[in-house]
Amino acid sequence: MSKQSLVWIGKWTFILAAAGSAVGLGNIWGFPYKAGTNGGGAFVLIYLFCILIIGLPIMMAEIMIGRSSQKSPVNAMRLSAEKSDQSPSWRFVGWGGLISGLLILSFYSVLAGICLDYIFISGTDSGGMSTTEKFASQTASVSKLLFWHTAFILMNIIIIGAGVVSGIERIVRLLMPMLFVLMIVMVVNSIINGDFARGLSFLFAPNFSDVTPATFLSAMGQAFFSLSLGMGSIMCYGAYMPKDENVFNTSLTVCGLDTLIAIMAGLAIFPIIFAYGLEPDAGPSLVFISLLSVFWDMPFGNFIGPVFFILLSVAALSSSISLLEPSVAFLSEEKIFSRKSASIILGLIAWFLGIGSLLSFNLWSEVNIIGDLNFLNSMDFLANQFLMPLGGMFVAIFAGWFLSTKIIKEELEPGQKKIFIVWRFFIKFISPTLVALIFINQLFFS
Ligand code: TRP
């Protein structure tokens, strides 16, 4: 076994960092609103199914590719292809990842900025405004959005610039326990102040009459995004994973934590939404408009509201750093720039692109880029519905059909023969086919 160049120090760090990447706006903002608009329980069930049969195998594949080469995604794909006697052009999968990581970061940061802003908004009184008016006035202000977007990108630059161990490792060890505690506070609040039984049955009693093909697609896309798959985040973190950690167990833990947090987010939100007579199907504005009105009404809402938005911001930050890391790792590994300069330059690129998304809320709301989508939705479409499923599908095809069995066996630890057989079957046949299905459907029928 070769000596690894750069590794996480703590035994739990890979799990914390990968769970940090996975648990983000996708879990706490996206999952509840999608479950809310797709009929609750049935969506949740399909989502769990997707996590297990598509997410878990692809996550294992990304970790194996990353760890066996100990390089950032572009070089990890190239090296593992070369070691498997395949063409080095497989590195294009890594390139796709770097580009989509920056695209996602650009609009993710604008959304995360709004969450930061809402820490303060939910802590103060309404001043006679409705929450709909408040959201409209916040997002109409270019300077406010720009301020928070800039603040959020800066935090990313500082953390990533500080390095893998003194930046990422240090921050996830702080943020992840914090996230968990805040989440527990939110769920307890919902048990005390919410209609918990109704929230539970909404999330867990599946009503299959609500299920359409679109529910499937939405749940699969959500599972993919939530696990940070298809663009190198997990591959990149896998490169720093110590050789003696077990790929299957850690992947299972990360998938489990990601799902747990998404469900807890549902349990934190829906019971209080129901208790205050609101509807669960508000869509993307669920937390900014519906939930905020609860916080403004509820006893101690001026305290619980900020707790919720701090939670959202913490989750967003531990995810966004994993969007910046692959490209920064690449530039510094190639010795094109130092890590610090690379984080500043790439952070600035994401910041600049983000301005387009930020203007989509106001000045450019009518400016369409792709079809009838504004800038923000175009970025989202390009990354989430195009580059990411494509990346995930190629990772699955590569790992299932081209990656050498020797590498796989080394990575999976000897003695895990059953896991090898089952994983191999899923990654060869099931995962790529299902991803291809989502992909084709989203592209042509949505
Ligand atoms: N998984 C994160 C979320 O749920 C977002 C994210 C971080 C991501 N890194 C990613 C999504 C890589 C896709 C690919 O919010």
Side-chain angles (χ1 to χ4, degrees), residues 21-22 24-27 108 225-226 228-229 231 233 319 322-323 388:
S21 166
L25 296 177
N27 303 59
Y108 203 84
F225 183 81
S226 185
S228 301
L229 296 175
M231 58 186 36
S233 285
S319 295
S322 76
L323 292 163
M388 201 170 66

Side-chain angles (χ1 to χ4, degrees), residues 88-144:
S89 334
W90 277 103
R91 65 173 173 264
F92 78 87
V93 177
W95 276 110
L98 299 196
I99 293 167
S100 32
L102 289 178
L103 289 187
I104 295 196
L105 178 62
S106 75
F107 65 82
Y108 203 84
S109 166
V110 175
L111 296 174
I114 300 179
C115 298
L116 287 174
D117 188 15
Y118 266 65
I119 297 176
F120 301 96
I121 291 177
S122 60
T124 44
D125 287 327
S126 64
M129 267 196 203
S130 75
T131 54
T132 313
E133 287 161 355
K134 189 72 189 170
F135 186 71
S137 87
Q138 291 309 107
T139 50
S141 159
V142 175
S143 59
K144 273 187 193 143

Side-chain angles (χ1 to χ4, degrees), residues 280-401:
D281 58 356
S285 66
L286 180 70
V287 300
F288 297 116
I289 294 180
S290 320
L291 200 59
L292 181 67
S293 72
V294 176
F295 293 142
W296 275 354
D297 262 7
M298 197 169 86
F300 303 110
N302 288 352
F303 169 74
I304 291 292
V307 168
F308 178 78
F309 287 103
I310 291 173
L311 167 68
L312 209 51
S313 310
V314 163
L317 184 61
S318 64
S319 295
S320 59
I321 53 177
S322 76
L323 292 163
L324 185 56
E325 174 62 17
S327 45
V328 169
F330 176 68
L331 289 190
S332 54
E333 174 177 288
E334 292 284 315
K335 307 225 167 8
I336 300 175
F337 291 111
S338 71
R339 172 170 274 273
K340 282 211 169 54
S341 322
S343 5
I344 295 173
I345 293 166
L346 294 162
L348 278 176
I349 295 178
W351 176 81
F352 184 71
L353 264 178
I355 293 178
S357 296
L358 181 162
L359 294 175
S360 305
F361 282 103
N362 35 65
L363 301 179
W364 286 4
S365 60
E366 304 297 322
V367 178
N368 297 335
I369 309 286
I370 303 176
D372 56 359
L373 300 175
N374 65 22
F375 193 94
L376 172 68
N377 294 336
S378 301
M379 288 295 127
D380 178 47
F381 172 83
L382 202 64
N384 291 343
Q385 310 202 20
F386 187 72
L387 292 167
M388 201 170 66
L390 205 62
M393 193 171 71
F394 279 121
V395 166
I397 293 175
F398 175 72
W401 297 88

Side-chain angles (χ1 to χ4, degrees), residues 7 50 98 145-146 164 166 182 189 197 200 206 214 235 249 261 305 313 378 399 427 430:
V7 258
C50 296
L98 299 196
L145 290 180
L146 190 62
V164 172
S166 18
L182 293 174
N189 167 64
L200 271 181
M235 196 182 285
N249 294 351
I261 298 283
S313 310
S378 301
I427 201 82
I430 311 287

